[in-house]
Amino acid sequence: MSPFEHQIAGVKEWFDSPRFIGITRLHTAREVVEQRGTIHADYTIARSAAEDFYLRLRELFSERKSITTFGPYSPGQAVTMKRLGIEGIYLGGWATSAKGSLDEDPGADLASYPLSQVPDEAAPIVRALLAADKNQHFARSRMTEAQRNSTPSVDYRPFIVADADTGHGGDAHVRNLVRRFVEAGVPGYHIEDQKPGAKKCGHQGGKVLVSQDEQIKRLNAARFQLDIMGVPGIIVARTDAESATFIEGRGDERDQPFILGATNIALPSYKAGFVAILKRLSDLGIDDVRGHLLFSLSEADYGVANDWLKRVGLSHAIEERAKQYRNAEDPRVEGLLSYLIGRYLDAWSAEAGLKTYARAVADVMEFRQSQGEVFDVTAEEWLDYASRASLFATREKAKALGIQIIWDCERPKTPEGYYQIEYGIDFAIAKSLAAAPFADILWMETKTANLEEARKYADAIHAEFPEKMLAYNLSPSFNWDTTGMTDDEMKRFPEELGKLGFVFNFITYGGHQIDGLAAEEFATALRQDGMLALARLQRRLRLLESPYRTPQTLVGGPRLDGALMASTGRTATTVAMGKGSTQFQHLIQTEVPPSVLGEWLEIWRGHNQLESPIQVSLRPHTSGSELLELLIDNQRGDHLANVIFASIQDRRERSILSIRDQNTFEETLRKKRLMSLTHLYLIHRYKAVSVHFVSPTEDNVYQTEKMKSHGIFSDVHSEVGHIIVADVDTERVAELLNPDREALTRLINKTDPSPGE
């Protein structure tokens, strides 16, 4: 076997591997090898990420679970996402368009940016993830084994699905785009079935689809490039057929069942009437309207169109609206055209009787059946057949049934030459079924979030391709409060999608919105509170134990110092993290840390003879909430107790603890002064002079009275609304906090002079 034949055999084996079960290619192994050349290049990052990411997605699919993620607006956001356990990352064109670049202005998502821009956006994200992995590796290499065992490592592999848009053109454009993504280290790419040049954001109007064979060629071109580069990249086929209104051509048989035609042809073409309106406005002196100059309609075309416009009353409306426009103080041609074209569309569509060919035949069948005629098939059976048959086949079938109708899909064509279509979930399903053999994941773009529509789509796909994975856009373009879902349904929406086989669900430009919200809030705070705004931000970062609290370490200062020492034989005196680094300011613990309570609880654990060590954490109760939760767990992660609270200030700027809820989950630990120690710690940390229990229970009443008996509270009383107010005995608290811990130990051991619990 020659080296060339050996390579072909290797590629054939690659094609036949379990990774590509169910995948169809238009190209052969020989054609792949012919494109490779003799100098081998290995794209390690993209290849290994694609292998691992695909396996993870298949695992999730088998478990009917999913990754829920969003599109970061910066490399730092991407690193944070991975650190917090979001396994996959989405990188979309919307945010790329909105952000702009060195060479491109910010703008709407119209794919007007160069094909290199999203790969260029991806490259620093991949670099940031790799750098974060290096920083983590360096830090862990300097830990003790015990520290490593207690510090989980973060998976920074670049599991990214990026926006390949429409492919930005034909075969060469698609392959060039995929090549750039692979070189950047990106393992996944989605390609949509919109027309380049006319592309719109999935949640804008006026979308134009390409024929299905054109979409398949795009998908296969991407696969061909991946095969050439030896990368098992993840291809996502997106369709916009659920809400698109036009299609570029009618040559593909799979699209033909959804193309609309006129069943009445005794009227001008849609284009002629449209252009006639523009010309009439121009003739009436509205110079801003010049679109008719693009075309060369004959006088006969204009004559027929104008006669029809007059017959349906639009000629008078045109003259009246033109007069109003000329006399308006602030004329806007957009409003004028929107009104007139809207009326024209409604009138023309109603008279033309726009329908699919199948529906037009079904209407005839139903009418003739009502007159007593009998057909070999019912109207429902006919529609089911016609939903997947070509126009030629359905016409032949209709002839066999003795039905011949007027139906013209050329007459409704737009001035740009696009065919009008019956959009909706059925067309999206048909498009996705056709793309399924050429893609790893299928995605139907939707106009809103709807679980029942998602289920219909998933069921239809899995009826024919039971192992095909799905993706879902959890778009910020949706107003989620108008979807009809309750808060609980919104919370569970990604989980329910996972059960349907949607393995990758993403908030396209989520990073763009959180970037804007953070900037809004901090800019406002800075103007109102000066540098207190930054101090509050730093306090939140310390509370979250975020690596952003130590920015020099976050960006790799210690690792780079390590490299400097290594390369200079440890002679360098200019280490960045040495004397003079502001990093050390951030290592100062300005608040009493939870570890203090942990130390107290170790004494308490010994006294109560508990085996499992105790862990203390202090975090926001829910993400972004002002409420905090102090949580006490054992080493197995079992919750022992918690306190949900807020730290507030009264008008005299005195600190008050507002306790919303408190629980001792383990019954055997009740009445052992666990809550007394917990409240003592909170008073200590927040320098509280008073504690308010805003949802009092019998347990709260009992607990506060006992803490009063220990001297922690000097007074306990109820106020309006049954709020329990407990005033702190500052002298007794100071005694309990004495470094010698004598009073604290007596409290724990129940040997203090006060009555015990």
Side-chain angles (χ1 to χ4, degrees):
M1 183 183 293
S2 69
F4 184 71
E5 292 171 330
H6 185 75
Q7 289 184 54
I8 293 174
V11 173
K12 285 181 178 178
E13 186 178 353
W14 159 274
F15 285 4
D16 294 336
S17 67
R19 163 63 179 86
F20 298 114
I21 290 175
I23 295 297
T24 299
R25 291 173 168 85
L26 302 178
H27 53 275
T28 66
R30 172 177 285 274
E31 289 170 318
V32 170
V33 175
E34 287 174 344
Q35 295 289 330
R36 282 186 170 176
T38 60
I39 302 172
H40 176 70
D42 188 16
Y43 304 94
T44 310
I45 303 301
R47 176 174 51 76
S48 61
E51 291 169 349
D52 296 343
F53 192 14
Y54 182 82
L55 289 175
R56 178 57 180 148
L57 291 173
R58 293 302 322 176
E59 181 181 26
L60 290 167
F61 183 80
S62 68
E63 297 172 350
R64 285 301 190 262
K65 295 180 180 178
S66 66
I67 291 171
T68 301
T69 185
F70 64 90
Y73 207 50
S74 69
Q77 285 187 358
V79 171
T80 298
M81 291 165 67
K82 294 288 282 187
R83 181 174 56 80
L84 294 179
I86 296 179
E87 295 181 79
I89 292 170
Y90 177 76
L91 180 60
W94 195 101
T96 300
S97 293
K99 184 185 298 184
S101 69
L102 182 65
D103 302 309
E104 301 297 321
D105 292 339
D109 183 17
L110 303 175
S112 57
Y113 49 78
L115 66 79
S116 61
Q117 191 160 329
V118 179
D120 288 346
E121 183 90 358
I125 289 177
V126 175
R127 288 175 184 265
L129 293 172
L130 298 180
D133 180 68
K134 292 174 185 175
N135 293 340
Q136 173 180 247
H137 179 72
F138 178 84
R140 292 179 68 83
S141 70
R142 299 197 167 195
M143 292 180 183
T144 65
E145 184 175 354
Q147 288 173 326
R148 281 193 294 271
N149 291 337
S150 63
T151 308
S153 61
V154 177
D155 179 1
Y156 286 113
R157 288 175 294 179
F159 288 0
I160 300 171
V161 173
D163 191 346
D165 214 272
T166 64
H168 288 269
D171 173 81
H173 300 86
V174 174
R175 292 195 294 106
N176 188 11
L177 177 58
V178 170
R179 173 185 63 81
R180 290 169 182 259
F181 275 130
V182 169
E183 290 173 344
V186 175
Y189 340 87
H190 71 76
I191 301 176
E192 64 200 60
D193 58 2
Q194 288 195 55
K195 172 182 168 60
K199 180 259 175 1
K200 301 289 194 299
C201 165
H203 303 105
Q204 294 173 328
K207 291 183 287 185
V208 183
L209 303 180
V210 295
S211 61
Q212 188 55 43
D213 61 296
E214 176 62 26
Q215 171 68 344
I216 289 173
K217 283 186 282 188
R218 293 175 180 175
L219 300 172
N220 192 74
R223 185 78 67 192
F224 185 40
Q225 184 63 42
L226 290 168
D227 288 342
I228 292 168
M229 303 178 83
V231 172
I234 300 164
I235 297 176
V236 182
R238 162 179 154 175
T239 181
D240 282 82
E242 193 258 354
S243 59
T245 47
F246 308 112
I247 194 166
E248 185 179 20
R250 64 183 181 104
D252 192 289
E253 293 77 8
R254 290 159 292 197
D255 298 323
Q256 290 169 3
F258 302 93
I259 293 176
L260 297 172
T263 55
N264 172 22
I265 57 174
L267 75 171
S269 70
Y270 181 80
K271 172 183 176 180
F274 189 102
V275 176
I277 292 174
L278 301 182
K279 185 175 186 302
R280 182 63 182 143
L281 289 171
S282 179
D283 292 344
L284 289 170
I286 300 178
D287 193 48
D288 289 347
V289 181
R290 302 184 180 189
H292 65 289
L293 299 175
L294 281 169
F295 307 100
S296 184
L297 271 66
S298 67
E299 289 302 319
D301 285 325
Y302 278 124
V304 170
N306 286 325
D307 287 346
W308 184 84
L309 291 171
K310 185 176 182 179
R311 178 166 63 82
V312 298
L314 275 171
S315 289
H316 178 71
I318 291 169
E319 292 174 0
E320 285 296 311
R321 286 284 166 162
K323 181 178 179 181
Q324 293 174 15
Y325 174 83
R326 289 193 301 268
N327 295 331
E329 293 183 4
D330 183 23
R332 300 291 174 91
V333 74
E334 293 83 6
L336 172 67
L337 287 175
S338 177
Y339 173 78
L340 292 175
I341 297 304
R343 279 198 57 182
Y344 168 68
L345 175 61
D346 292 341
W348 192 93
S349 298
E351 189 165 320
L354 282 185
K355 300 173 184 177
T356 65
Y357 181 79
R359 183 70 260 174
V361 171
D363 288 347
V364 171
M365 289 179 67
E366 289 169 352
F367 173 76
R368 286 165 58 173
Q369 284 172 334
S370 71
Q371 303 299 307
E373 189 170 347
V374 178
F375 294 98
D376 293 339
V377 295
T378 65
E380 290 74 18
E381 290 170 334
W382 158 259
L383 288 170
D384 183 62
Y385 163 79
S387 67
R388 291 210 180 184
S390 69
L391 186 55
F392 175 80
T394 51
R395 277 178 168 156
E396 291 299 305
K397 180 77 169 177
K399 285 180 185 178
L401 293 171
I403 298 175
Q404 288 186 302
I405 62 170
I406 293 173
W407 186 85
D408 183 2
C409 62
E410 297 294 323
R411 197 165 293 263
K413 284 171 69 172
T414 69
E416 303 97 328
Y418 303 140
Y419 292 89
Q420 298 194 44
I421 56 174
E422 183 177 69
Y423 59 84
I425 190 169
D426 291 333
F427 195 12
I429 289 169
K431 283 282 197 182
S432 291
L433 288 172
F438 300 89
D440 300 298
I441 300 176
L442 301 176
W443 162 15
M444 172 184 69
E445 183 72 312
T446 62
K447 56 182 171 289
T448 189
N450 186 300
L451 189 61
E452 290 311 308
E453 288 186 356
R455 179 175 285 107
K456 180 179 179 180
Y457 177 77
D459 289 347
I461 299 301
H462 291 147
E464 295 193 28
F465 299 94
E467 294 302 310
K468 192 61 64 175
M469 298 183 291
L470 309 174
Y472 199 95
N473 181 1
L474 305 165
S475 179
S477 292
F478 305 153
N479 182 340
W480 283 79
D481 284 327
T482 63
T483 60
M485 285 187 261
T486 64
D487 286 1
D488 185 60
E489 287 170 334
M490 282 189 273
K491 184 176 181 179
R492 292 187 293 105
F493 193 71
E495 178 185 348
E496 295 302 317
L497 288 175
K499 294 175 183 177
L500 298 174
F502 291 87
V503 295
F504 191 78
N505 308 313
F506 48 95
I507 304 167
T508 44
Y509 53 95
H512 171 80
Q513 294 203 313
I514 62 176
D515 178 78
L517 180 62
E520 291 270 357
E521 291 183 346
F522 186 71
T524 301
L526 186 61
R527 291 186 61 194
Q528 292 176 346
D529 299 321
M531 294 320 296
L532 178 58
L534 182 56
R536 287 173 177 157
L537 174 65
Q538 291 177 336
R539 290 168 192 167
R540 287 190 64 82
L541 292 173
R542 288 195 296 270
L543 178 65
L544 295 170
E545 296 183 8
S546 167
Y548 278 86
R549 76 191 190 283
T550 50
Q552 307 294 0
T553 294
L554 174 67
V555 297
R559 178 172 63 86
L560 297 178
D561 274 351
L564 174 63
M565 296 303 290
S567 63
T568 62
R570 298 194 172 275
T571 62
T573 59
T574 58
V575 289
M577 304 305 293
K579 187 177 180 180
S581 172
T582 57
Q583 168 85 0
F584 294 103
Q585 298 178 21
H586 297 287
L587 299 178
I588 299 171
Q589 183 67 51
T590 54
E591 299 91 358
V592 180
S595 60
V596 168
L597 176 57
E599 293 171 5
W600 298 351
L601 291 177
E602 278 302 299
I603 302 172
W604 175 86
R605 184 173 71 91
H607 172 72
N608 290 284
Q609 299 180 341
L610 303 179
E611 293 184 3
S612 180
I614 291 175
Q615 301 171 340
V616 180
S617 62
L618 179 60
R619 293 285 189 280
H621 178 47
T622 58
S623 180
S625 171
E626 293 298 321
L627 285 179
L628 303 177
E629 180 177 22
L630 182 67
L631 190 60
I632 300 172
D633 296 338
N634 61 24
Q635 199 170 36
R636 296 188 302 273
D638 301 323
H639 296 336
L640 304 181
N642 78 333
V643 179
I644 298 171
F645 69 99
S647 174
I648 59 178
Q649 288 187 325
D650 66 9
R651 289 175 295 177
R652 302 177 189 174
E653 297 188 354
R654 296 180 305 176
S655 177
I656 297 172
L657 289 176
S658 177
I659 307 296
R660 308 302 173 88
D661 193 17
Q662 59 179 9
N663 302 280
T664 302
F665 300 108
E666 177 57 59
E667 288 191 19
T668 60
L669 301 182
R670 293 175 182 173
K671 299 186 178 182
K672 294 183 182 295
R673 306 194 176 181
L674 176 58
M675 273 299 163
S676 296
L677 289 176
T678 302
H679 283 75
L680 178 63
Y681 165 75
L682 291 175
I683 292 167
H684 181 30
R685 178 181 171 101
Y686 293 100
K687 301 178 175 60
V689 299
S690 183
V691 181
H692 295 180
F693 296 83
V694 297
S695 300
T697 63
E698 290 184 8
D699 285 344
N700 293 154
V701 173
Y702 173 82
Q703 184 64 246
T704 51
E705 287 296 337
K706 286 301 178 184
M707 283 192 277
K708 179 181 177 182
S709 72
H710 303 324
I712 296 174
F713 296 148
S714 59
D715 184 35
V716 175
H717 56 277
S718 296
E719 293 193 353
V720 177
H722 303 290
I723 295 175
I724 299 175
V725 176
D727 296 326
V728 173
D729 187 328
T730 54
E731 291 185 6
R732 170 62 172 162
V733 166
E735 179 187 3
L736 291 169
L737 296 177
N738 195 298
D740 62 19
R741 291 184 178 168
E742 290 183 6
L744 183 67
T745 302
R746 288 197 301 270
L747 175 68
I748 292 170
N749 295 340
K750 300 185 179 180
T751 58
D752 57 312
S754 303
E757 294 184 32

